[in-house]
Amino acid sequence: MIDLEAIRHNVRRLAAVASPAQVMAVVKADAYGHGAVPVARAALSAGANWLGTAHITEALALRAAGIEAPLLAWLHTPESNFAAAVAAGIDIGCSGWELERIVAAAREQERPARVHLKVDTGLGRNGATLDAWDGLVGEAMEYQDQGLLRVVGVFSHLAVADEPERPETDEQLDAFREALAIAQDAGVDPEVRHLANTPATLSRPDTHFDLVRVGLGLYGLSPFEGQSSAELGLQPAMTVRTVVSHCKDVPAGQGVSYGLNYRTGNTSTLGLIPLGYADGVPRIATGGPVRVAGVNYPVVGRIAMDQMVIDLGRLNVSAGGPSVLGAEAILFGNGDDGGPTAEDWARAAGTNNYEIVTRISPRVPRRYINEVPASDGSRP
Ligand SMILES: *Cc1c(COP(=O)(O)O)cnc(C)c1O
C-alpha cells in the first residue's frame, strides 16, 4: 500500500527545506519500489519541478504515461537509446563518452539535445574527472555553438552526505565549485547546478545550489542512522501488509521451515505469513518483525521463496483459543503505534532502508491510497 498523500507531504517538506532551490523527485527503480508513474504525478502536484531517473528507458516510460515535466536520465551504456531521449525531450546526463553519441542523436533527430554535464567530485563512479572536465566543457560548448545541444545543467553526486560529520562532503563541495568556475569560464550558463541528494538536502544547505535531487526523503525514509522519519518531518509512504494464511498449534520441539533452524521451545502456535524472498523479503532477514494483532513477532526459521513463519506463543487454537487466520500482518509501514519499520527490516538484513523498499517485487500488488488530495488540503 502506497500513501500518495505521504509522498505529497514529503515533497512539500523537502521543498520548504530546499527553497529557494527547486526539487527534482528521483523516481528511478520504479520510484524505489513505490511505482514511478503515480509517485511522479503526486510529486509534481505537490511542487516538485523536475523528475530524475537513472536510465533513459525509465524516463521514456514516464513520457509514455503523458508526463511532460523536465526529466533527467543520468546512467547510460553504449547501447542506450540517445535518439529516443532527444526525441522525447529527455535531458541527458553526460560524463564524457556519451557526448559524441548524444550529438549524433541530435543530428539524426534534427533537434538540439538537452545535456547536464557531470563532474566526479570524489564519488568515483560516473562523471568526468577534474582532469578531463576542461576538455569536456570545451567540446560541449563547441557543439552548443553549432546548435546541436544546450548545456542545461552541471551536476555531481555526493558520497558520504548521510554521515554529516565526515570531511569529504566539504572536499566534494570545493571540487564542485571549482568545476563550476571552469565551466563558467568556458561560457557555460546552466539553468541548474545540482549536487545534493536527500541527506545533503536535509543537513547541508550549502549544497543546494539551484536544484536538489531527492529520492529517499520523497518516500518518507530517513538517510541518517539514529534519526527517524518523524524527527525529520517525513512520513513513510509504503506499507507492506498481508494476512496470516495459516495458524496452528504445534508441540514443543517442532522444527520450522527449511533447515529446521528453529524449534519451538514449548507447545506453541505458528502463524504462516505468505511473503518470502520472491516478494522481496530478504532471505537473510530471519528475526525481522511482523505485526499481528498489535504485537511485533520476529520471523523464526528460514525465510522461503513464498512464505515465512512467526511463533505466536501458546494460543491453543485447537481448544477454541483465538486463531489469527486471516488477521492483518504488517511487515513495515509508517511506524505509528510502535509498528515495524523498513529500518527494522534493514537491520535484520544487514542493509539499508533504500534496499528494503526498492526490492519489494512486482508480485506484491501496489495499492494506492489518497490519490487525490483532500479537498480542503488537509490529511484525511
Ligand atoms: C539515486 C540518486 C539520487 C537520490 O539519492 P537519495 O539519497 O535517495 O536522495 C540523487 N542523485 C543521483 C545521481 C542518484 O543516483
Side-chain angles (χ1 to χ4, degrees):
M1 186 179 79
I2 312 295
D3 183 352
L4 293 175
E5 177 53 30
I7 299 282
R8 292 190 294 268
H9 166 89
N10 297 327
V11 169
R12 291 190 293 266
R13 162 90 185 127
L14 292 162
V17 170
S19 175
Q22 296 190 313
V23 171
M24 174 187 288
V26 177
V27 294
K28 63 189 178 188
D30 204 24
Y32 294 32
H34 294 65
V37 169
V39 166
R41 290 212 175 100
L44 292 168
S45 80
N49 315 91
W50 287 75
L51 298 172
T53 64
H55 302 163
I56 287 171
T57 49
E58 296 177 302
L60 289 169
L62 294 169
R63 285 284 186 258
I67 292 171
E68 290 170 358
L71 174 48
L72 171 65
W74 53 69
L75 182 61
H76 319 296
T77 74
E79 294 174 7
S80 294
N81 193 341
F82 295 108
V86 171
I90 292 164
D91 293 22
I92 305 169
C94 175
S95 299
W97 66 265
E98 305 95 332
L99 190 63
E100 293 304 324
R101 294 162 197 259
I102 293 169
V103 165
R107 286 201 170 100
E108 182 192 313
Q109 297 296 317
E110 298 180 0
R111 177 175 174 171
R114 292 170 50 92
V115 171
H116 297 233
L117 297 177
K118 186 165 196 182
V119 57
D120 182 0
T121 53
L123 180 60
R125 299 193 325 198
N126 248 332
T129 61
L130 275 178
D131 283 347
W133 182 243
D134 216 5
L136 175 60
V137 165
E139 278 175 52
M141 287 311 284
E142 278 179 33
Y143 288 127
Q144 177 165 313
D145 291 343
Q146 294 168 33
L148 289 164
L149 60 78
R150 157 120 185 91
V151 179
V152 175
V154 172
F155 75 120
S156 188
H157 195 33
L158 294 169
V160 297
D162 56 324
E163 300 172 76
E165 65 291 346
R166 287 183 62 165
E168 292 95 333
T169 299
D170 285 327
E171 293 163 19
Q172 286 198 258
L173 187 54
D174 288 345
F176 190 58
R177 290 215 172 91
E178 192 182 329
L180 286 172
I182 291 167
Q184 194 179 359
D185 286 349
V188 176
D189 179 23
E191 286 167 29
V192 283
R193 303 160 296 162
H194 45 112
L195 176 64
N197 52 5
T198 295
T201 299
L202 292 168
S203 69
R204 293 289 302 252
D206 52 348
T207 64
H208 289 177
F209 294 91
D210 307 308
L211 177 66
V212 300
R213 303 184 306 267
V214 291
L216 194 73
L218 183 63
Y219 308 107
L221 300 177
S222 169
F224 303 118
E225 193 74 44
Q227 233 181 332
S228 69
S229 297
E231 285 164 339
L232 296 169
L234 300 172
Q235 297 173 0
M238 181 188 286
T239 298
V240 173
R241 63 163 305 272
T242 181
V243 296
V244 178
S245 63
H246 198 75
C247 178
K248 69 180 178 201
D249 300 330
V250 296
Q254 170 72 52
V256 172
S257 194
Y258 299 128
L260 305 177
N261 296 337
Y262 175 81
R263 286 185 185 276
T264 52
N266 285 300
T267 305
S268 203
T269 304
L270 299 179
L272 187 62
I273 308 298
L275 289 171
Y277 60 79
D279 303 290
V281 180
R283 183 173 176 274
I284 197 174
T286 295
V290 179
R291 189 172 187 83
V292 174
V295 178
N296 297 348
Y297 296 97
V299 169
V300 296
R302 234 178 243 169
I303 293 172
M305 187 181 292
D306 312 303
Q307 45 196 305
M308 56 195 184
V309 175
I310 55 176
D311 184 343
L312 296 148
R314 189 175 192 161
L315 297 184
N316 260 325
V317 180
S318 48
S323 170
V324 294
L325 176 65
E328 177 172 68
I330 297 175
L331 271 68
F332 59 86
N334 63 14
D336 284 358
D337 305 322
T341 61
E343 287 73 31
D344 293 329
W345 279 93
R347 212 169 298 116
T351 184
N352 61 9
N353 49 7
Y354 290 77
E355 187 181 346
I356 293 298
V357 291
T358 303
R359 73 204 307 284
I360 297 300
S361 84
R363 190 165 79 173
V364 180
R366 267 54 171 184
R367 190 161 65 77
Y368 294 92
I369 63 168
N370 298 322
E371 287 190 76
V372 182
S375 51
D376 63 354
S378 69
R379 229 179 127 72

